[in-house]
Structures are given as structure tokens and as C-alpha cells.
Amino acid sequence: HDHPEVAYVLYARAHPARWRWLYGVEYDVAYSGNFSNFVRAHATARPDTDLLAYQVGWREPGCWHWTRMSAEAKRYVRDATAALYGPLVRYSNRLLLHLGRSYDRGLVGYCEVIQASLCNATPWCTLANFSHERVAPTYEFAPTMTFATFEALAPLLPERAFHPVKPTSSKESKVQ
């Protein structure tokens, strides 16, 4: 699995004080409205949260992903193992800088586990879920949602994040 947050860490290091939050959005997330409304809603409701995602949760040591951490990371997080679902994530400036320093020290692991676990194990770091009013009930769709399905559902569920929305056939993926 890739580590999209590494690009965000590098941005944070290059521009350490120019921003408060950085959003990571995967290519197959669609929003049924103006995404700035999503950002404003969470800026108001959760202004001090360092890590916002969908399905942020705590896990018992020994889950499938526990072994996909370095020994140093396992020692650091101990009983604070957490995970998130990462198609849409908001990071604070200080969390990304902390992740970078932690990765430099060898505290590494599966991306959807190590980010949440390092935050959960760090006393000043806070983590929470995005508002359920802003995430469509189809966000976890096991089958891929086509663009046509998204366009049909978007008016019924305004101002919501949908995932996964992408082409499901070669015909649909052709640029017109």
C-alpha cells in the first residue's frame, strides 16, 4: 500500500508555518457540492483536531496490520494502536511535522495504521471522525460507484463525500 502522507510531510517541512490543515483526497472521492463547505464545516466543528478521517478507531494489538509496523513503532504505540480509512483525511500542521520526525526515527508501518497510532500514542495529538452529515452512506460501497450513479445520488445527498467513484468500464473511462 502506498504512503500518500509522505508527500504531505515533505510539504509541511518545506512550508512549516504557512497553513493550519492539509487535506488528502484520493482520486476516487467525489463531493456532491462545494468542497469548501466541507472544509468550513469541519473548521468550525473540529478546529483543534489534529487528524480527521473516516472510521477512525482503536484496534487491539495483534490485528492483521499490527505486524506491519517496525519494532520501534510497536514499542512506541504499545496499546494505542488505531486505524483510519484514508480516502479523505485532514492533517494539522503539527501532526505532519510529528509524523515526519517519527518516520525519520524508524517509526513506520502500514499507512492507515501508523498515522492514527502515532497520533493516538502522542499526548497532545487528537483524532476524530468526519461528521456523518458530510459523508454519504455509500462511502464504503464495496462495488465501485459509477459516475452516472454518483450524478443520480448527488442531488438526493447534497454536500456529502462519496467513495469510490470511478470508471468501471473502458468505455466510461475514455475522455470525451
Side-chain angles (χ1 to χ4, degrees):
H1 201 273
D2 60 355
H3 281 269
E5 80 282 4
V6 172
Y8 313 143
V9 166
L10 295 174
Y11 179 85
R13 285 179 170 171
H15 309 283
R18 294 187 182 165
W19 53 279
R20 186 169 182 184
W21 302 300
L22 189 139
Y23 278 81
V25 184
E26 288 186 359
Y27 76 98
D28 58 350
V29 172
Y31 194 73
S32 61
N34 186 326
F35 192 68
S36 66
N37 293 333
F38 183 89
V39 171
R40 273 193 296 278
H42 290 97
T44 303
R46 301 226 178 245
D48 298 323
T49 303
D50 293 291
L51 180 63
L52 273 177
Y54 185 71
Q55 289 188 345
V56 172
W58 289 259
R59 307 287 191 266
E60 294 293 321
C63 290
W64 71 268
H65 57 264
W66 183 252
T67 58
R68 299 198 53 196
M69 278 189 212
S70 65
E72 296 82 6
K74 288 180 190 177
R75 281 192 295 277
Y76 182 83
V77 301
R78 290 193 177 118
D79 297 328
T81 303
L84 59 87
Y85 187 48
L88 179 59
V89 183
R90 184 187 85 181
Y91 303 92
S92 70
N93 184 303
R94 70 181 184 164
L95 173 59
L96 283 174
L97 294 172
H98 174 62
L99 289 178
R101 288 187 301 271
S102 298
Y103 295 173
D104 290 346
R105 291 178 28 220
L107 305 178
V108 295
Y110 179 71
C111 69
E112 290 182 333
V113 176
I114 195 65
Q115 299 171 57
S117 296
L118 288 171
C119 181
N120 198 35
T122 303
W124 55 259
C125 195
T126 56
L127 60 165
N129 284 293
F130 285 122
S131 164
H132 288 286
E133 288 96 33
R134 298 288 178 168
V135 178
T138 58
Y139 195 78
E140 299 177 66
F141 249 16
T144 298
M145 181 184 301
T146 65
F147 294 112
T149 302
F150 168 71
E151 289 170 2
L153 288 173
L156 303 173
L157 297 165
E159 301 295 334
R160 304 267 184 115
F162 288 78
H163 177 266
V165 179
K166 55 188 166 186
T168 59
S169 70
S170 59
K171 179 182 177 187
E172 188 179 22
S173 65
K174 290 182 180 173
V175 177
Q176 300 195 16

